[in-house]
Amino acid sequence: MSSQLTLANIRRQLVRLEETIIFALIERAQFCRNPKVYEKGAFPEGCGHESLVGFLLHETEKIHAQMRRYTSPDEHPFFRDLPEPVLLPLRYEHNPLHPNTVNINDRIRDAYEQDIVPLICRDGDDQQYGSSAVCDVALLQSLSKRIHYGKFVAESKFRSHPETYNSLIRAADDTGLLQALTDQEVESQVLKRVERKATLYCAELRNAGGDHDHPVDPQAVVAVYANWIVPCTKLVQVQYLRQRLPDARRSVDPK
Amino acid sequence: MSSQLTLANIRRQLVRLEETIIFALIERAQFCRNPKVYEKGAFPEGCGHESLVGFLLHETEKIHAQMRRYTSPDEHPFFRDLPEPVLLPLRYEHNPLHPNTVNINDRIRDAYEQDIVPLICRDGDDQQYGSSAVCDVALLQSLSKRIHYGKFVAESKFRSHPETYNSLIRAADDTGLLQALTDQEVESQVLKRVERKATLYCAELRNAGGDHDHPVDPQAVVAVYANWIVPCTKLVQVQYLRQRLPDARRSVDPK
């Protein structure tokens, strides 16, 4: 099996991404919620019909696409109208995933703007729009990467128990798939580890900065994992497996 | 005195930026040194005469300039040919700094590429050029912000002891200025705190990820502060004070 698909290696990547996400949440929580940056058309002079965050995300993806970011199987863009890479393609050892079109970034962006930001930031508007939006883009990119890593998890699990998954996929049994994919023990370990890390990092920060910094609440970080990251990762797994069989490809909407 | 200029508030900002810088160093250290991304002309198909990092930094600054990043007194661009902001200007309460042209980003970029990256990253080339460069841009921006914060430190110290500084500035006595600005006690506190934080964050990471992640060495983080951040901040302070007197402005090179 490709080394990218051993569960130990996948888990190591997911654990490593926890720091990236927790650090990014802490960075965003420095600023107020600033709802204006998510409002479409709020800055017509620069961002047209997009929101400020949408504009910055789009512009950032255009540059990153040129640097071939989205040729990597673990990266998924939020926008579709991106330029071609200007760097020569990297030869990935071998993309271990089955061809698929799964991309739930629209859902991630909605959840982020509507639920996650209000959870981690103080209410209000501090006018730090650019700084907030720069943090938002970094966070959206990390969340997307973490959540779409579900494809590797699903592929690995599929290869370990092809019979089980084959029959569930053929029966289009999403509930059965979800049950087969769920490992309650591992999920609760993830949440405990995230809580421990978030507590550690936030305490250090509070300690150094006093009360003025409004560091993010560790329980809010756990909630981001429990309510959005874990369920969205499972959604990616189910959607991926639904496209996993050779003959299932025909039903994939090619748009 | 403006709240931006109380030493307690400035210090709180500097302490807060330590996390940003340490987190960013840890992120960069995931990838190999990848010297090719700093080589000018190494990717002529996409980056022309610039290096990959230079190209990404420039493109990023163009977008951030549109979001009025560089109208803030604590932000300094690496490039000069940037577009005008598309957002309406923020009304900063009051820019507490004396008008000045100090910007040592060229020096920061050289030190970063030639000294800091080799110190924190494993040697070699893992072809993760885009990912490395994204980390580089984030780090260069944080280092620049931290180091140019020296302007606020210098302004605050100047206002507390105007007589002392006035005579040193009039005498163009850089050595005397450096001595007056240096507080050995505070410097050693900074290094101790950075060491403690870096040890904490890196241990947590090593703990979670095993040996494969090559987390950055805490002593390397301390060295980045001791050898580059602290001395560069003092350089900014001296350069700023040399432009501090009303009649000193005439000697400012306007380019």
mmCIF file with all atom_site columns, all heavy atoms in Angstrom, chain B residues 126-149:
data_model
loop_
_atom_site.group_PDB
_atom_site.id
_atom_site.type_symbol
_atom_site.label_atom_id
_atom_site.label_alt_id
_atom_site.label_comp_id
_atom_site.label_asym_id
_atom_site.label_entity_id
_atom_site.label_seq_id
_atom_site.pdbx_PDB_ins_code
_atom_site.Cartn_x
_atom_site.Cartn_y
_atom_site.Cartn_z
_atom_site.occupancy
_atom_site.B_iso_or_equiv
_atom_site.pdbx_formal_charge
_atom_site.auth_seq_id
_atom_site.auth_comp_id
_atom_site.auth_asym_id
_atom_site.auth_atom_id
_atom_site.pdbx_PDB_model_num
ATOM 1   N N   . ASP B 1 126 ? 12.798 19.020 -1.022 1.00 0.00 ? 126 ASP B N   1
ATOM 2   C CA  . ASP B 1 126 ? 11.698 18.050 -1.013 1.00 0.00 ? 126 ASP B CA  1
ATOM 3   C C   . ASP B 1 126 ? 10.648 18.394 -2.072 1.00 0.00 ? 126 ASP B C   1
ATOM 4   O O   . ASP B 1 126 ? 9.561  17.820 -2.068 1.00 0.00 ? 126 ASP B O   1
ATOM 5   C CB  . ASP B 1 126 ? 11.056 17.971 0.378  1.00 0.00 ? 126 ASP B CB  1
ATOM 6   C CG  . ASP B 1 126 ? 10.579 19.335 0.860  1.00 0.00 ? 126 ASP B CG  1
ATOM 7   O OD1 . ASP B 1 126 ? 10.401 20.248 0.017  1.00 0.00 ? 126 ASP B OD1 1
ATOM 8   O OD2 . ASP B 1 126 ? 10.392 19.509 2.076  1.00 0.00 ? 126 ASP B OD2 1
ATOM 9   N N   . GLN B 1 127 ? 10.987 19.363 -2.938 1.00 0.00 ? 127 GLN B N   1
ATOM 10  C CA  . GLN B 1 127 ? 10.111 19.795 -4.044 1.00 0.00 ? 127 GLN B CA  1
ATOM 11  C C   . GLN B 1 127 ? 8.819  20.459 -3.583 1.00 0.00 ? 127 GLN B C   1
ATOM 12  O O   . GLN B 1 127 ? 7.973  20.775 -4.406 1.00 0.00 ? 127 GLN B O   1
ATOM 13  C CB  . GLN B 1 127 ? 9.789  18.605 -4.945 1.00 0.00 ? 127 GLN B CB  1
ATOM 14  C CG  . GLN B 1 127 ? 11.007 18.101 -5.695 1.00 0.00 ? 127 GLN B CG  1
ATOM 15  C CD  . GLN B 1 127 ? 10.581 17.314 -6.915 1.00 0.00 ? 127 GLN B CD  1
ATOM 16  O OE1 . GLN B 1 127 ? 10.128 16.179 -6.803 1.00 0.00 ? 127 GLN B OE1 1
ATOM 17  N NE2 . GLN B 1 127 ? 10.685 17.911 -8.075 1.00 0.00 ? 127 GLN B NE2 1
ATOM 18  N N   . GLN B 1 128 ? 8.697  20.713 -2.274 1.00 0.00 ? 128 GLN B N   1
ATOM 19  C CA  . GLN B 1 128 ? 7.488  21.396 -1.780 1.00 0.00 ? 128 GLN B CA  1
ATOM 20  C C   . GLN B 1 128 ? 7.692  22.909 -1.904 1.00 0.00 ? 128 GLN B C   1
ATOM 21  O O   . GLN B 1 128 ? 7.633  23.643 -0.922 1.00 0.00 ? 128 GLN B O   1
ATOM 22  C CB  . GLN B 1 128 ? 7.226  21.018 -0.317 1.00 0.00 ? 128 GLN B CB  1
ATOM 23  C CG  . GLN B 1 128 ? 7.010  19.539 -0.091 1.00 0.00 ? 128 GLN B CG  1
ATOM 24  C CD  . GLN B 1 128 ? 5.737  19.045 -0.748 1.00 0.00 ? 128 GLN B CD  1
ATOM 25  O OE1 . GLN B 1 128 ? 4.685  19.644 -0.613 1.00 0.00 ? 128 GLN B OE1 1
ATOM 26  N NE2 . GLN B 1 128 ? 5.832  17.955 -1.492 1.00 0.00 ? 128 GLN B NE2 1
ATOM 27  N N   . TYR B 1 129 ? 7.906  23.338 -3.154 1.00 0.00 ? 129 TYR B N   1
ATOM 28  C CA  . TYR B 1 129 ? 8.268  24.738 -3.367 1.00 0.00 ? 129 TYR B CA  1
ATOM 29  C C   . TYR B 1 129 ? 7.137  25.693 -3.014 1.00 0.00 ? 129 TYR B C   1
ATOM 30  O O   . TYR B 1 129 ? 7.341  26.719 -2.376 1.00 0.00 ? 129 TYR B O   1
ATOM 31  C CB  . TYR B 1 129 ? 8.695  24.961 -4.828 1.00 0.00 ? 129 TYR B CB  1
ATOM 32  C CG  . TYR B 1 129 ? 9.829  24.070 -5.266 1.00 0.00 ? 129 TYR B CG  1
ATOM 33  C CD1 . TYR B 1 129 ? 9.858  23.523 -6.539 1.00 0.00 ? 129 TYR B CD1 1
ATOM 34  C CD2 . TYR B 1 129 ? 10.888 23.781 -4.403 1.00 0.00 ? 129 TYR B CD2 1
ATOM 35  C CE1 . TYR B 1 129 ? 10.903 22.710 -6.956 1.00 0.00 ? 129 TYR B CE1 1
ATOM 36  C CE2 . TYR B 1 129 ? 11.928 22.966 -4.807 1.00 0.00 ? 129 TYR B CE2 1
ATOM 37  C CZ  . TYR B 1 129 ? 11.931 22.430 -6.087 1.00 0.00 ? 129 TYR B CZ  1
ATOM 38  O OH  . TYR B 1 129 ? 12.959 21.631 -6.492 1.00 0.00 ? 129 TYR B OH  1
ATOM 39  N N   . GLY B 1 130 ? 5.959  25.377 -3.474 1.00 0.00 ? 130 GLY B N   1
ATOM 40  C CA  . GLY B 1 130 ? 4.830  26.274 -3.208 1.00 0.00 ? 130 GLY B CA  1
ATOM 41  C C   . GLY B 1 130 ? 4.549  26.384 -1.719 1.00 0.00 ? 130 GLY B C   1
ATOM 42  O O   . GLY B 1 130 ? 4.405  27.483 -1.182 1.00 0.00 ? 130 GLY B O   1
ATOM 43  N N   . SER B 1 131 ? 4.521  25.246 -1.036 1.00 0.00 ? 131 SER B N   1
ATOM 44  C CA  . SER B 1 131 ? 4.231  25.260 0.400  1.00 0.00 ? 131 SER B CA  1
ATOM 45  C C   . SER B 1 131 ? 5.312  26.000 1.178  1.00 0.00 ? 131 SER B C   1
ATOM 46  O O   . SER B 1 131 ? 5.018  26.775 2.089  1.00 0.00 ? 131 SER B O   1
ATOM 47  C CB  . SER B 1 131 ? 4.128  23.832 0.932  1.00 0.00 ? 131 SER B CB  1
ATOM 48  O OG  . SER B 1 131 ? 3.178  23.108 0.193  1.00 0.00 ? 131 SER B OG  1
ATOM 49  N N   . SER B 1 132 ? 6.583  25.752 0.818  1.00 0.00 ? 132 SER B N   1
ATOM 50  C CA  . SER B 1 132 ? 7.673  26.469 1.496  1.00 0.00 ? 132 SER B CA  1
ATOM 51  C C   . SER B 1 132 ? 7.526  27.967 1.289  1.00 0.00 ? 132 SER B C   1
ATOM 52  O O   . SER B 1 132 ? 7.674  28.749 2.226  1.00 0.00 ? 132 SER B O   1
ATOM 53  C CB  . SER B 1 132 ? 9.040  26.072 0.923  1.00 0.00 ? 132 SER B CB  1
ATOM 54  O OG  . SER B 1 132 ? 9.236  24.703 0.956  1.00 0.00 ? 132 SER B OG  1
ATOM 55  N N   . ALA B 1 133 ? 7.246  28.351 0.060  1.00 0.00 ? 133 ALA B N   1
ATOM 56  C CA  . ALA B 1 133 ? 7.188  29.784 -0.266 1.00 0.00 ? 133 ALA B CA  1
ATOM 57  C C   . ALA B 1 133 ? 6.026  30.467 0.452  1.00 0.00 ? 133 ALA B C   1
ATOM 58  O O   . ALA B 1 133 ? 6.151  31.618 0.883  1.00 0.00 ? 133 ALA B O   1
ATOM 59  C CB  . ALA B 1 133 ? 7.083  29.981 -1.783 1.00 0.00 ? 133 ALA B CB  1
ATOM 60  N N   . VAL B 1 134 ? 4.910  29.758 0.595  1.00 0.00 ? 134 VAL B N   1
ATOM 61  C CA  . VAL B 1 134 ? 3.774  30.342 1.331  1.00 0.00 ? 134 VAL B CA  1
ATOM 62  C C   . VAL B 1 134 ? 4.191  30.606 2.785  1.00 0.00 ? 134 VAL B C   1
ATOM 63  O O   . VAL B 1 134 ? 3.911  31.666 3.349  1.00 0.00 ? 134 VAL B O   1
ATOM 64  C CB  . VAL B 1 134 ? 2.534  29.415 1.248  1.00 0.00 ? 134 VAL B CB  1
ATOM 65  C CG1 . VAL B 1 134 ? 1.463  29.838 2.232  1.00 0.00 ? 134 VAL B CG1 1
ATOM 66  C CG2 . VAL B 1 134 ? 1.976  29.408 -0.177 1.00 0.00 ? 134 VAL B CG2 1
ATOM 67  N N   . CYS B 1 135 ? 4.915  29.654 3.383  1.00 0.00 ? 135 CYS B N   1
ATOM 68  C CA  . CYS B 1 135 ? 5.415  29.866 4.752  1.00 0.00 ? 135 CYS B CA  1
ATOM 69  C C   . CYS B 1 135 ? 6.416  31.016 4.797  1.00 0.00 ? 135 CYS B C   1
ATOM 70  O O   . CYS B 1 135 ? 6.419  31.812 5.738  1.00 0.00 ? 135 CYS B O   1
ATOM 71  C CB  . CYS B 1 135 ? 6.106  28.604 5.274  1.00 0.00 ? 135 CYS B CB  1
ATOM 72  S SG  . CYS B 1 135 ? 4.993  27.235 5.562  1.00 0.00 ? 135 CYS B SG  1
ATOM 73  N N   . ASP B 1 136 ? 7.281  31.076 3.792  1.00 0.00 ? 136 ASP B N   1
ATOM 74  C CA  . ASP B 1 136 ? 8.281  32.149 3.762  1.00 0.00 ? 136 ASP B CA  1
ATOM 75  C C   . ASP B 1 136 ? 7.635  33.521 3.764  1.00 0.00 ? 136 ASP B C   1
ATOM 76  O O   . ASP B 1 136 ? 8.071  34.427 4.471  1.00 0.00 ? 136 ASP B O   1
ATOM 77  C CB  . ASP B 1 136 ? 9.149  32.017 2.502  1.00 0.00 ? 136 ASP B CB  1
ATOM 78  C CG  . ASP B 1 136 ? 10.104 30.832 2.568  1.00 0.00 ? 136 ASP B CG  1
ATOM 79  O OD1 . ASP B 1 136 ? 10.573 30.498 3.679  1.00 0.00 ? 136 ASP B OD1 1
ATOM 80  O OD2 . ASP B 1 136 ? 10.389 30.239 1.512  1.00 0.00 ? 136 ASP B OD2 1
ATOM 81  N N   . VAL B 1 137 ? 6.593  33.674 2.956  1.00 0.00 ? 137 VAL B N   1
ATOM 82  C CA  . VAL B 1 137 ? 5.940  34.980 2.863  1.00 0.00 ? 137 VAL B CA  1
ATOM 83  C C   . VAL B 1 137 ? 5.328  35.357 4.213  1.00 0.00 ? 137 VAL B C   1
ATOM 84  O O   . VAL B 1 137 ? 5.495  36.484 4.693  1.00 0.00 ? 137 VAL B O   1
ATOM 85  C CB  . VAL B 1 137 ? 4.879  34.973 1.740  1.00 0.00 ? 137 VAL B CB  1
ATOM 86  C CG1 . VAL B 1 137 ? 3.989  36.205 1.826  1.00 0.00 ? 137 VAL B CG1 1
ATOM 87  C CG2 . VAL B 1 137 ? 5.565  34.901 0.381  1.00 0.00 ? 137 VAL B CG2 1
ATOM 88  N N   . ALA B 1 138 ? 4.666  34.394 4.854  1.00 0.00 ? 138 ALA B N   1
ATOM 89  C CA  . ALA B 1 138 ? 4.063  34.679 6.167  1.00 0.00 ? 138 ALA B CA  1
ATOM 90  C C   . ALA B 1 138 ? 5.143  35.073 7.170  1.00 0.00 ? 138 ALA B C   1
ATOM 91  O O   . ALA B 1 138 ? 4.983  36.019 7.951  1.00 0.00 ? 138 ALA B O   1
ATOM 92  C CB  . ALA B 1 138 ? 3.287  33.464 6.662  1.00 0.00 ? 138 ALA B CB  1
ATOM 93  N N   . LEU B 1 139 ? 6.272  34.356 7.138  1.00 0.00 ? 139 LEU B N   1
ATOM 94  C CA  . LEU B 1 139 ? 7.347  34.637 8.082  1.00 0.00 ? 139 LEU B CA  1
ATOM 95  C C   . LEU B 1 139 ? 7.995  35.990 7.815  1.00 0.00 ? 139 LEU B C   1
ATOM 96  O O   . LEU B 1 139 ? 8.253  36.762 8.750  1.00 0.00 ? 139 LEU B O   1
ATOM 97  C CB  . LEU B 1 139 ? 8.417  33.553 7.973  1.00 0.00 ? 139 LEU B CB  1
ATOM 98  C CG  . LEU B 1 139 ? 8.522  32.616 9.146  1.00 0.00 ? 139 LEU B CG  1
ATOM 99  C CD1 . LEU B 1 139 ? 9.493  31.496 8.850  1.00 0.00 ? 139 LEU B CD1 1
ATOM 100 C CD2 . LEU B 1 139 ? 8.954  33.349 10.416 1.00 0.00 ? 139 LEU B CD2 1
ATOM 101 N N   . LEU B 1 140 ? 8.270  36.272 6.547  1.00 0.00 ? 140 LEU B N   1
ATOM 102 C CA  . LEU B 1 140 ? 8.889  37.562 6.216  1.00 0.00 ? 140 LEU B CA  1
ATOM 103 C C   . LEU B 1 140 ? 7.985  38.704 6.671  1.00 0.00 ? 140 LEU B C   1
ATOM 104 O O   . LEU B 1 140 ? 8.458  39.703 7.219  1.00 0.00 ? 140 LEU B O   1
ATOM 105 C CB  . LEU B 1 140 ? 9.149  37.641 4.705  1.00 0.00 ? 140 LEU B CB  1
ATOM 106 C CG  . LEU B 1 140 ? 10.376 36.860 4.222  1.00 0.00 ? 140 LEU B CG  1
ATOM 107 C CD1 . LEU B 1 140 ? 10.359 36.693 2.700  1.00 0.00 ? 140 LEU B CD1 1
ATOM 108 C CD2 . LEU B 1 140 ? 11.676 37.559 4.665  1.00 0.00 ? 140 LEU B CD2 1
ATOM 109 N N   . GLN B 1 141 ? 6.684  38.539 6.483  1.00 0.00 ? 141 GLN B N   1
ATOM 110 C CA  . GLN B 1 141 ? 5.765  39.601 6.907  1.00 0.00 ? 141 GLN B CA  1
ATOM 111 C C   . GLN B 1 141 ? 5.755  39.760 8.424  1.00 0.00 ? 141 GLN B C   1
ATOM 112 O O   . GLN B 1 141 ? 5.736  40.876 8.940  1.00 0.00 ? 141 GLN B O   1
ATOM 113 C CB  . GLN B 1 141 ? 4.352  39.298 6.387  1.00 0.00 ? 141 GLN B CB  1
ATOM 114 C CG  . GLN B 1 141 ? 4.247  39.458 4.865  1.00 0.00 ? 141 GLN B CG  1
ATOM 115 C CD  . GLN B 1 141 ? 2.849  39.198 4.333  1.00 0.00 ? 141 GLN B CD  1
ATOM 116 O OE1 . GLN B 1 141 ? 2.152  38.318 4.824  1.00 0.00 ? 141 GLN B OE1 1
ATOM 117 N NE2 . GLN B 1 141 ? 2.438  39.944 3.314  1.00 0.00 ? 141 GLN B NE2 1
ATOM 118 N N   . SER B 1 142 ? 5.787  38.649 9.161  1.00 0.00 ? 142 SER B N   1
ATOM 119 C CA  . SER B 1 142 ? 5.781  38.758 10.633 1.00 0.00 ? 142 SER B CA  1
ATOM 120 C C   . SER B 1 142 ? 7.094  39.349 11.136 1.00 0.00 ? 142 SER B C   1
ATOM 121 O O   . SER B 1 142 ? 7.100  40.151 12.070 1.00 0.00 ? 142 SER B O   1
ATOM 122 C CB  . SER B 1 142 ? 5.639  37.394 11.308 1.00 0.00 ? 142 SER B CB  1
ATOM 123 O OG  . SER B 1 142 ? 4.700  36.601 10.696 1.00 0.00 ? 142 SER B OG  1
ATOM 124 N N   . LEU B 1 143 ? 8.214  38.894 10.554 1.00 0.00 ? 143 LEU B N   1
ATOM 125 C CA  . LEU B 1 143 ? 9.508  39.420 10.996 1.00 0.00 ? 143 LEU B CA  1
ATOM 126 C C   . LEU B 1 143 ? 9.576  40.922 10.738 1.00 0.00 ? 143 LEU B C   1
ATOM 127 O O   . LEU B 1 143 ? 10.026 41.693 11.595 1.00 0.00 ? 143 LEU B O   1
ATOM 128 C CB  . LEU B 1 143 ? 10.651 38.710 10.258 1.00 0.00 ? 143 LEU B CB  1
ATOM 129 C CG  . LEU B 1 143 ? 10.877 37.243 10.634 1.00 0.00 ? 143 LEU B CG  1
ATOM 130 C CD1 . LEU B 1 143 ? 11.863 36.581 9.666  1.00 0.00 ? 143 LEU B CD1 1
ATOM 131 C CD2 . LEU B 1 143 ? 11.394 37.115 12.079 1.00 0.00 ? 143 LEU B CD2 1
ATOM 132 N N   . SER B 1 144 ? 9.115  41.335 9.565  1.00 0.00 ? 144 SER B N   1
ATOM 133 C CA  . SER B 1 144 ? 9.151  42.756 9.227  1.00 0.00 ? 144 SER B CA  1
ATOM 134 C C   . SER B 1 144 ? 8.310  43.567 10.207 1.00 0.00 ? 144 SER B C   1
ATOM 135 O O   . SER B 1 144 ? 8.723  44.634 10.682 1.00 0.00 ? 144 SER B O   1
ATOM 136 C CB  . SER B 1 144 ? 8.634  42.952 7.799  1.00 0.00 ? 144 SER B CB  1
ATOM 137 O OG  . SER B 1 144 ? 8.465  44.317 7.527  1.00 0.00 ? 144 SER B OG  1
ATOM 138 N N   . LYS B 1 145 ? 7.136  43.046 10.539 1.00 0.00 ? 145 LYS B N   1
ATOM 139 C CA  . LYS B 1 145 ? 6.264  43.777 11.467 1.00 0.00 ? 145 LYS B CA  1
ATOM 140 C C   . LYS B 1 145 ? 6.931  43.896 12.833 1.00 0.00 ? 145 LYS B C   1
ATOM 141 O O   . LYS B 1 145 ? 6.962  44.966 13.435 1.00 0.00 ? 145 LYS B O   1
ATOM 142 C CB  . LYS B 1 145 ? 4.933  43.029 11.592 1.00 0.00 ? 145 LYS B CB  1
ATOM 143 C CG  . LYS B 1 145 ? 3.939  43.740 12.464 1.00 0.00 ? 145 LYS B CG  1
ATOM 144 C CD  . LYS B 1 145 ? 2.542  43.198 12.237 1.00 0.00 ? 145 LYS B CD  1
ATOM 145 C CE  . LYS B 1 145 ? 1.544  43.978 13.067 1.00 0.00 ? 145 LYS B CE  1
ATOM 146 N NZ  . LYS B 1 145 ? 0.163  43.770 12.607 1.00 0.00 ? 145 LYS B NZ  1
ATOM 147 N N   . ARG B 1 146 ? 7.464  42.770 13.325 1.00 0.00 ? 146 ARG B N   1
ATOM 148 C CA  . ARG B 1 146 ? 8.120  42.752 14.636 1.00 0.00 ? 146 ARG B CA  1
ATOM 149 C C   . ARG B 1 146 ? 9.284  43.730 14.684 1.00 0.00 ? 146 ARG B C   1
ATOM 150 O O   . ARG B 1 146 ? 9.448  44.489 15.636 1.00 0.00 ? 146 ARG B O   1
ATOM 151 C CB  . ARG B 1 146 ? 8.598  41.332 14.941 1.00 0.00 ? 146 ARG B CB  1
ATOM 152 C CG  . ARG B 1 146 ? 9.560  41.179 16.121 1.00 0.00 ? 146 ARG B CG  1
ATOM 153 C CD  . ARG B 1 146 ? 8.911  41.597 17.428 1.00 0.00 ? 146 ARG B CD  1
ATOM 154 N NE  . ARG B 1 146 ? 9.758  41.360 18.585 1.00 0.00 ? 146 ARG B NE  1
ATOM 155 C CZ  . ARG B 1 146 ? 10.769 42.118 18.961 1.00 0.00 ? 146 ARG B CZ  1
ATOM 156 N NH1 . ARG B 1 146 ? 11.085 43.171 18.249 1.00 0.00 ? 146 ARG B NH1 1
ATOM 157 N NH2 . ARG B 1 146 ? 11.452 41.844 20.058 1.00 0.00 ? 146 ARG B NH2 1
ATOM 158 N N   . ILE B 1 147 ? 10.099 43.696 13.647 1.00 0.00 ? 147 ILE B N   1
ATOM 159 C CA  . ILE B 1 147 ? 11.328 44.490 13.655 1.00 0.00 ? 147 ILE B CA  1
ATOM 160 C C   . ILE B 1 147 ? 11.010 45.981 13.503 1.00 0.00 ? 147 ILE B C   1
ATOM 161 O O   . ILE B 1 147 ? 11.580 46.820 14.204 1.00 0.00 ? 147 ILE B O   1
ATOM 162 C CB  . ILE B 1 147 ? 12.282 43.979 12.552 1.00 0.00 ? 147 ILE B CB  1
ATOM 163 C CG1 . ILE B 1 147 ? 12.850 42.610 12.986 1.00 0.00 ? 147 ILE B CG1 1
ATOM 164 C CG2 . ILE B 1 147 ? 13.385 44.976 12.254 1.00 0.00 ? 147 ILE B CG2 1
ATOM 165 C CD1 . ILE B 1 147 ? 13.533 41.819 11.890 1.00 0.00 ? 147 ILE B CD1 1
ATOM 166 N N   . HIS B 1 148 ? 10.072 46.318 12.626 1.00 0.00 ? 148 HIS B N   1
ATOM 167 C CA  . HIS B 1 148 ? 9.745  47.741 12.455 1.00 0.00 ? 148 HIS B CA  1
ATOM 168 C C   . HIS B 1 148 ? 8.940  48.305 13.625 1.00 0.00 ? 148 HIS B C   1
ATOM 169 O O   . HIS B 1 148 ? 8.763  49.525 13.723 1.00 0.00 ? 148 HIS B O   1
ATOM 170 C CB  . HIS B 1 148 ? 9.036  47.972 11.114 1.00 0.00 ? 148 HIS B CB  1
ATOM 171 C CG  . HIS B 1 148 ? 9.973  47.875 9.945  1.00 0.00 ? 148 HIS B CG  1
ATOM 172 N ND1 . HIS B 1 148 ? 10.105 46.723 9.206  1.00 0.00 ? 148 HIS B ND1 1
ATOM 173 C CD2 . HIS B 1 148 ? 10.864 48.761 9.427  1.00 0.00 ? 148 HIS B CD2 1
ATOM 174 C CE1 . HIS B 1 148 ? 11.019 46.913 8.264  1.00 0.00 ? 148 HIS B CE1 1
ATOM 175 N NE2 . HIS B 1 148 ? 11.493 48.145 8.369  1.00 0.00 ? 148 HIS B NE2 1
ATOM 176 N N   . TYR B 1 149 ? 8.459  47.419 14.504 1.00 0.00 ? 149 TYR B N   1
ATOM 177 C CA  . TYR B 1 149 ? 7.853  47.911 15.739 1.00 0.00 ? 149 TYR B CA  1
ATOM 178 C C   . TYR B 1 149 ? 8.850  48.709 16.560 1.00 0.00 ? 149 TYR B C   1
ATOM 179 O O   . TYR B 1 149 ? 8.480  49.477 17.448 1.00 0.00 ? 149 TYR B O   1
ATOM 180 C CB  . TYR B 1 149 ? 7.275  46.753 16.556 1.00 0.00 ? 149 TYR B CB  1
ATOM 181 C CG  . TYR B 1 149 ? 5.823  46.959 16.853 1.00 0.00 ? 149 TYR B CG  1
ATOM 182 C CD1 . TYR B 1 149 ? 4.857  46.531 15.958 1.00 0.00 ? 149 TYR B CD1 1
ATOM 183 C CD2 . TYR B 1 149 ? 5.423  47.624 18.008 1.00 0.00 ? 149 TYR B CD2 1
ATOM 184 C CE1 . TYR B 1 149 ? 3.523  46.764 16.201 1.00 0.00 ? 149 TYR B CE1 1
ATOM 185 C CE2 . TYR B 1 149 ? 4.083  47.855 18.250 1.00 0.00 ? 149 TYR B CE2 1
ATOM 186 C CZ  . TYR B 1 149 ? 3.145  47.433 17.355 1.00 0.00 ? 149 TYR B CZ  1
ATOM 187 O OH  . TYR B 1 149 ? 1.827  47.677 17.597 1.00 0.00 ? 149 TYR B OH  1
#
